[in-house]
Amino acid sequence: MPPVVLVVLAAAYGAAAGLLVPRARYRLAVEPEEPWRAVCPRGHALTGAARGWLGLARCPGCPDGERDYGTGRPWAAALTALVCGVLAAAVGARPELAVWLLLTPPMVLLAGVDLAVHRLPDVLTLPLAAGAAALLGVATLLPHSAGSWRRALLGGAALSGAYLLLFLISPSGMGFGDVKLALGLGVALGWYGWAVLVLGACAGLLLGSCYAVALLATRRATRGTGMAFGPFMILGACAGLVLGGLAA
């Protein structure tokens, strides 16, 4: 398949998958003690595929002009399409590309939930890690794959262990959800090697630190202000996968 066609198809898939992110984000963006949302803002039950989890963030029971309840639908579609397209351009037609494309919408969803409520739900982080490990296990059996499944598993353990250590050192500065997210991201980054794992992890830490410093410098936050770190971890991991795909 020509590279341009592959990139276009990946971006189109990302745009379509990204349109489904706002509904799931709306349902999951609640405080830890609250149940997942099951109704729209006006009280109508959320129905549809997968018990109401899949579909556009639009309620057919609401009046015209008031049906959309999920925020950021164009942005979610555009971001998911961009990430999928860039990954396709970097990785090419190798088996692991299918894994990265499948993992991208959940990662965009996780970033959105964390930005909304500073929470990384287990219902997303743990399946992300298990899915990454299982899918890469299949990819390693196919021809032309460019990574190591064993190293991917070790990478997940190493990165989650490093984040666990940071959590134990400073529980107020690092959430346990970040530790569980690191497990899945470490599996993905470890596929391409230890250098990619370190680069992706450091990129996330650097981006998050720069953002925190900017908030402090502009007095938009204090040292005790909570911050969503998951999006920076995910962004750093995506950068690592792109570089790993280019170098493979």
Side-chain angles (χ1 to χ4, degrees):
M1 181 183 298
V4 174
V5 175
L6 181 65
V7 172
V8 170
L9 290 176
Y13 154 80
L19 290 174
L20 306 179
V21 168
R23 174 187 277 238
R25 177 180 178 272
Y26 169 79
R27 297 199 64 173
L28 291 170
V30 296
E31 298 300 327
E33 65 275 4
E34 298 179 7
W36 310 131
R37 291 191 179 102
V39 297
C40 79
R42 295 171 185 83
H44 300 112
L46 299 179
T47 59
R51 298 184 179 180
W53 284 95
L54 292 180
L56 299 178
R58 177 174 296 173
C59 177
C62 291
D64 291 340
E66 300 179 356
R67 293 182 175 179
D68 294 338
Y69 56 84
T71 58
R73 187 164 61 195
W75 286 105
L79 178 59
T80 312
L82 175 63
V83 174
C84 289
V86 171
L87 285 170
V91 177
R94 291 199 291 264
E96 64 265 24
L97 175 62
V99 181
W100 309 148
L101 295 182
L102 288 173
L103 295 181
T104 296
M107 289 196 294
V108 173
L109 175 57
L110 272 165
V113 173
D114 199 16
L115 285 171
V117 293
H118 293 185
R119 182 185 183 191
L120 294 166
D122 291 351
V123 71
L124 290 177
T125 54
L126 299 181
L128 180 76
L135 291 170
L136 288 175
V138 175
T140 198
L141 301 175
L142 301 175
H144 309 301
S145 62
S148 165
W149 187 53
R150 178 177 176 273
R151 192 172 52 216
L153 299 181
L154 292 174
L159 190 59
S160 62
Y163 270 85
L164 177 60
L165 180 61
L166 292 175
F167 171 75
L168 294 175
I169 293 173
S170 178
S172 61
M174 182 72 63
F176 198 65
D178 297 321
V179 177
K180 287 176 277 192
L181 174 61
L183 179 61
L185 298 182
V187 170
L189 290 168
W191 171 262
Y192 284 129
W194 296 110
V196 171
L197 174 70
V198 172
L199 188 149
C202 289
L205 290 169
L206 179 62
L207 290 170
S209 299
C210 290
Y211 181 71
V213 170
L215 290 179
L216 291 173
T218 56
R219 298 184 179 179
R220 295 169 57 191
T222 65
R223 291 185 178 274
T225 302
M227 187 187 83
F229 193 64
F232 300 102
M233 295 173 62
I234 292 170
L235 186 59
C238 288
L241 291 179
V242 168
L243 294 177
L246 290 171

mmCIF file with all atom_site columns, all heavy atoms in Angstrom, residues 230-245:
data_model
loop_
_atom_site.group_PDB
_atom_site.id
_atom_site.type_symbol
_atom_site.label_atom_id
_atom_site.label_alt_id
_atom_site.label_comp_id
_atom_site.label_asym_id
_atom_site.label_entity_id
_atom_site.label_seq_id
_atom_site.pdbx_PDB_ins_code
_atom_site.Cartn_x
_atom_site.Cartn_y
_atom_site.Cartn_z
_atom_site.occupancy
_atom_site.B_iso_or_equiv
_atom_site.pdbx_formal_charge
_atom_site.auth_seq_id
_atom_site.auth_comp_id
_atom_site.auth_asym_id
_atom_site.auth_atom_id
_atom_site.pdbx_PDB_model_num
ATOM 1   N N   . GLY A 1 230 ? -1.526 12.724 33.327 1.00 0.00 ? 230 GLY A N   1
ATOM 2   C CA  . GLY A 1 230 ? -1.730 11.685 32.327 1.00 0.00 ? 230 GLY A CA  1
ATOM 3   C C   . GLY A 1 230 ? -1.574 12.158 30.891 1.00 0.00 ? 230 GLY A C   1
ATOM 4   O O   . GLY A 1 230 ? -0.925 11.474 30.078 1.00 0.00 ? 230 GLY A O   1
ATOM 5   N N   . PRO A 1 231 ? -2.160 13.310 30.515 1.00 0.00 ? 231 PRO A N   1
ATOM 6   C CA  . PRO A 1 231 ? -2.004 13.764 29.122 1.00 0.00 ? 231 PRO A CA  1
ATOM 7   C C   . PRO A 1 231 ? -0.556 13.943 28.701 1.00 0.00 ? 231 PRO A C   1
ATOM 8   O O   . PRO A 1 231 ? -0.203 13.659 27.548 1.00 0.00 ? 231 PRO A O   1
ATOM 9   C CB  . PRO A 1 231 ? -2.752 15.106 29.122 1.00 0.00 ? 231 PRO A CB  1
ATOM 10  C CG  . PRO A 1 231 ? -3.780 14.966 30.198 1.00 0.00 ? 231 PRO A CG  1
ATOM 11  C CD  . PRO A 1 231 ? -3.109 14.153 31.263 1.00 0.00 ? 231 PRO A CD  1
ATOM 12  N N   . PHE A 1 232 ? 0.303  14.379 29.612 1.00 0.00 ? 232 PHE A N   1
ATOM 13  C CA  . PHE A 1 232 ? 1.711  14.573 29.265 1.00 0.00 ? 232 PHE A CA  1
ATOM 14  C C   . PHE A 1 232 ? 2.433  13.225 29.138 1.00 0.00 ? 232 PHE A C   1
ATOM 15  O O   . PHE A 1 232 ? 3.307  13.066 28.283 1.00 0.00 ? 232 PHE A O   1
ATOM 16  C CB  . PHE A 1 232 ? 2.383  15.454 30.302 1.00 0.00 ? 232 PHE A CB  1
ATOM 17  C CG  . PHE A 1 232 ? 1.749  16.813 30.414 1.00 0.00 ? 232 PHE A CG  1
ATOM 18  C CD1 . PHE A 1 232 ? 0.894  17.105 31.463 1.00 0.00 ? 232 PHE A CD1 1
ATOM 19  C CD2 . PHE A 1 232 ? 1.978  17.785 29.458 1.00 0.00 ? 232 PHE A CD2 1
ATOM 20  C CE1 . PHE A 1 232 ? 0.290  18.348 31.568 1.00 0.00 ? 232 PHE A CE1 1
ATOM 21  C CE2 . PHE A 1 232 ? 1.373  19.029 29.539 1.00 0.00 ? 232 PHE A CE2 1
ATOM 22  C CZ  . PHE A 1 232 ? 0.527  19.311 30.601 1.00 0.00 ? 232 PHE A CZ  1
ATOM 23  N N   . MET A 1 233 ? 2.059  12.275 29.979 1.00 0.00 ? 233 MET A N   1
ATOM 24  C CA  . MET A 1 233 ? 2.603  10.927 29.840 1.00 0.00 ? 233 MET A CA  1
ATOM 25  C C   . MET A 1 233 ? 2.239  10.340 28.482 1.00 0.00 ? 233 MET A C   1
ATOM 26  O O   . MET A 1 233 ? 3.079  9.737  27.793 1.00 0.00 ? 233 MET A O   1
ATOM 27  C CB  . MET A 1 233 ? 2.071  10.022 30.955 1.00 0.00 ? 233 MET A CB  1
ATOM 28  C CG  . MET A 1 233 ? 2.507  10.395 32.356 1.00 0.00 ? 233 MET A CG  1
ATOM 29  S SD  . MET A 1 233 ? 1.659  9.389  33.614 1.00 0.00 ? 233 MET A SD  1
ATOM 30  C CE  . MET A 1 233 ? 2.232  7.734  33.191 1.00 0.00 ? 233 MET A CE  1
ATOM 31  N N   . ILE A 1 234 ? 0.990  10.529 28.088 1.00 0.00 ? 234 ILE A N   1
ATOM 32  C CA  . ILE A 1 234 ? 0.509  9.981  26.812 1.00 0.00 ? 234 ILE A CA  1
ATOM 33  C C   . ILE A 1 234 ? 1.183  10.692 25.644 1.00 0.00 ? 234 ILE A C   1
ATOM 34  O O   . ILE A 1 234 ? 1.602  10.047 24.669 1.00 0.00 ? 234 ILE A O   1
ATOM 35  C CB  . ILE A 1 234 ? -1.019 10.105 26.739 1.00 0.00 ? 234 ILE A CB  1
ATOM 36  C CG1 . ILE A 1 234 ? -1.656 9.163  27.767 1.00 0.00 ? 234 ILE A CG1 1
ATOM 37  C CG2 . ILE A 1 234 ? -1.532 9.812  25.338 1.00 0.00 ? 234 ILE A CG2 1
ATOM 38  C CD1 . ILE A 1 234 ? -3.150 9.368  27.956 1.00 0.00 ? 234 ILE A CD1 1
ATOM 39  N N   . LEU A 1 235 ? 1.311  12.005 25.734 1.00 0.00 ? 235 LEU A N   1
ATOM 40  C CA  . LEU A 1 235 ? 1.961  12.758 24.664 1.00 0.00 ? 235 LEU A CA  1
ATOM 41  C C   . LEU A 1 235 ? 3.419  12.343 24.510 1.00 0.00 ? 235 LEU A C   1
ATOM 42  O O   . LEU A 1 235 ? 3.919  12.165 23.392 1.00 0.00 ? 235 LEU A O   1
ATOM 43  C CB  . LEU A 1 235 ? 1.858  14.251 24.955 1.00 0.00 ? 235 LEU A CB  1
ATOM 44  C CG  . LEU A 1 235 ? 2.374  15.211 23.861 1.00 0.00 ? 235 LEU A CG  1
ATOM 45  C CD1 . LEU A 1 235 ? 1.625  14.977 22.560 1.00 0.00 ? 235 LEU A CD1 1
ATOM 46  C CD2 . LEU A 1 235 ? 2.223  16.654 24.320 1.00 0.00 ? 235 LEU A CD2 1
ATOM 47  N N   . GLY A 1 236 ? 4.107  12.176 25.629 1.00 0.00 ? 236 GLY A N   1
ATOM 48  C CA  . GLY A 1 236 ? 5.494  11.728 25.566 1.00 0.00 ? 236 GLY A CA  1
ATOM 49  C C   . GLY A 1 236 ? 5.614  10.335 24.977 1.00 0.00 ? 236 GLY A C   1
ATOM 50  O O   . GLY A 1 236 ? 6.530  10.055 24.193 1.00 0.00 ? 236 GLY A O   1
ATOM 51  N N   . ALA A 1 237 ? 4.669  9.439  25.336 1.00 0.00 ? 237 ALA A N   1
ATOM 52  C CA  . ALA A 1 237 ? 4.696  8.084  24.792 1.00 0.00 ? 237 ALA A CA  1
ATOM 53  C C   . ALA A 1 237 ? 4.452  8.092  23.287 1.00 0.00 ? 237 ALA A C   1
ATOM 54  O O   . ALA A 1 237 ? 5.105  7.349  22.547 1.00 0.00 ? 237 ALA A O   1
ATOM 55  C CB  . ALA A 1 237 ? 3.650  7.227  25.500 1.00 0.00 ? 237 ALA A CB  1
ATOM 56  N N   . CYS A 1 238 ? 3.528  8.934  22.837 1.00 0.00 ? 238 CYS A N   1
ATOM 57  C CA  . CYS A 1 238 ? 3.274  9.030  21.392 1.00 0.00 ? 238 CYS A CA  1
ATOM 58  C C   . CYS A 1 238 ? 4.516  9.521  20.657 1.00 0.00 ? 238 CYS A C   1
ATOM 59  O O   . CYS A 1 238 ? 4.855  9.019  19.579 1.00 0.00 ? 238 CYS A O   1
ATOM 60  C CB  . CYS A 1 238 ? 2.099  9.965  21.133 1.00 0.00 ? 238 CYS A CB  1
ATOM 61  S SG  . CYS A 1 238 ? 0.493  9.284  21.604 1.00 0.00 ? 238 CYS A SG  1
ATOM 62  N N   . ALA A 1 239 ? 5.215  10.489 21.233 1.00 0.00 ? 239 ALA A N   1
ATOM 63  C CA  . ALA A 1 239 ? 6.450  10.964 20.622 1.00 0.00 ? 239 ALA A CA  1
ATOM 64  C C   . ALA A 1 239 ? 7.493  9.843  20.554 1.00 0.00 ? 239 ALA A C   1
ATOM 65  O O   . ALA A 1 239 ? 8.193  9.689  19.547 1.00 0.00 ? 239 ALA A O   1
ATOM 66  C CB  . ALA A 1 239 ? 7.006  12.149 21.416 1.00 0.00 ? 239 ALA A CB  1
ATOM 67  N N   . GLY A 1 240 ? 7.565  9.062  21.607 1.00 0.00 ? 240 GLY A N   1
ATOM 68  C CA  . GLY A 1 240 ? 8.502  7.927  21.609 1.00 0.00 ? 240 GLY A CA  1
ATOM 69  C C   . GLY A 1 240 ? 8.154  6.893  20.548 1.00 0.00 ? 240 GLY A C   1
ATOM 70  O O   . GLY A 1 240 ? 9.038  6.366  19.866 1.00 0.00 ? 240 GLY A O   1
ATOM 71  N N   . LEU A 1 241 ? 6.863  6.609  20.369 1.00 0.00 ? 241 LEU A N   1
ATOM 72  C CA  . LEU A 1 241 ? 6.448  5.632  19.361 1.00 0.00 ? 241 LEU A CA  1
ATOM 73  C C   . LEU A 1 241 ? 6.758  6.138  17.953 1.00 0.00 ? 241 LEU A C   1
ATOM 74  O O   . LEU A 1 241 ? 7.150  5.363  17.072 1.00 0.00 ? 241 LEU A O   1
ATOM 75  C CB  . LEU A 1 241 ? 4.954  5.338  19.500 1.00 0.00 ? 241 LEU A CB  1
ATOM 76  C CG  . LEU A 1 241 ? 4.524  4.579  20.753 1.00 0.00 ? 241 LEU A CG  1
ATOM 77  C CD1 . LEU A 1 241 ? 3.011  4.389  20.763 1.00 0.00 ? 241 LEU A CD1 1
ATOM 78  C CD2 . LEU A 1 241 ? 5.233  3.235  20.835 1.00 0.00 ? 241 LEU A CD2 1
ATOM 79  N N   . VAL A 1 242 ? 6.561  7.426  17.746 1.00 0.00 ? 242 VAL A N   1
ATOM 80  C CA  . VAL A 1 242 ? 6.876  7.987  16.424 1.00 0.00 ? 242 VAL A CA  1
ATOM 81  C C   . VAL A 1 242 ? 8.371  7.843  16.134 1.00 0.00 ? 242 VAL A C   1
ATOM 82  O O   . VAL A 1 242 ? 8.769  7.387  15.047 1.00 0.00 ? 242 VAL A O   1
ATOM 83  C CB  . VAL A 1 242 ? 6.440  9.471  16.353 1.00 0.00 ? 242 VAL A CB  1
ATOM 84  C CG1 . VAL A 1 242 ? 7.019  10.134 15.115 1.00 0.00 ? 242 VAL A CG1 1
ATOM 85  C CG2 . VAL A 1 242 ? 4.924  9.572  16.346 1.00 0.00 ? 242 VAL A CG2 1
ATOM 86  N N   . LEU A 1 243 ? 9.201  8.218  17.083 1.00 0.00 ? 243 LEU A N   1
ATOM 87  C CA  . LEU A 1 243 ? 10.646 8.101  16.876 1.00 0.00 ? 243 LEU A CA  1
ATOM 88  C C   . LEU A 1 243 ? 11.079 6.646  16.763 1.00 0.00 ? 243 LEU A C   1
ATOM 89  O O   . LEU A 1 243 ? 11.958 6.309  15.959 1.00 0.00 ? 243 LEU A O   1
ATOM 90  C CB  . LEU A 1 243 ? 11.388 8.796  18.005 1.00 0.00 ? 243 LEU A CB  1
ATOM 91  C CG  . LEU A 1 243 ? 11.208 10.321 18.065 1.00 0.00 ? 243 LEU A CG  1
ATOM 92  C CD1 . LEU A 1 243 ? 11.931 10.902 19.278 1.00 0.00 ? 243 LEU A CD1 1
ATOM 93  C CD2 . LEU A 1 243 ? 11.729 10.984 16.793 1.00 0.00 ? 243 LEU A CD2 1
ATOM 94  N N   . GLY A 1 244 ? 10.448 5.782  17.562 1.00 0.00 ? 244 GLY A N   1
ATOM 95  C CA  . GLY A 1 244 ? 10.772 4.364  17.472 1.00 0.00 ? 244 GLY A CA  1
ATOM 96  C C   . GLY A 1 244 ? 10.389 3.781  16.125 1.00 0.00 ? 244 GLY A C   1
ATOM 97  O O   . GLY A 1 244 ? 11.127 2.981  15.542 1.00 0.00 ? 244 GLY A O   1
ATOM 98  N N   . GLY A 1 245 ? 9.228  4.206  15.607 1.00 0.00 ? 245 GLY A N   1
ATOM 99  C CA  . GLY A 1 245 ? 8.806  3.727  14.299 1.00 0.00 ? 245 GLY A CA  1
ATOM 100 C C   . GLY A 1 245 ? 9.708  4.210  13.186 1.00 0.00 ? 245 GLY A C   1
ATOM 101 O O   . GLY A 1 245 ? 10.011 3.471  12.244 1.00 0.00 ? 245 GLY A O   1
#
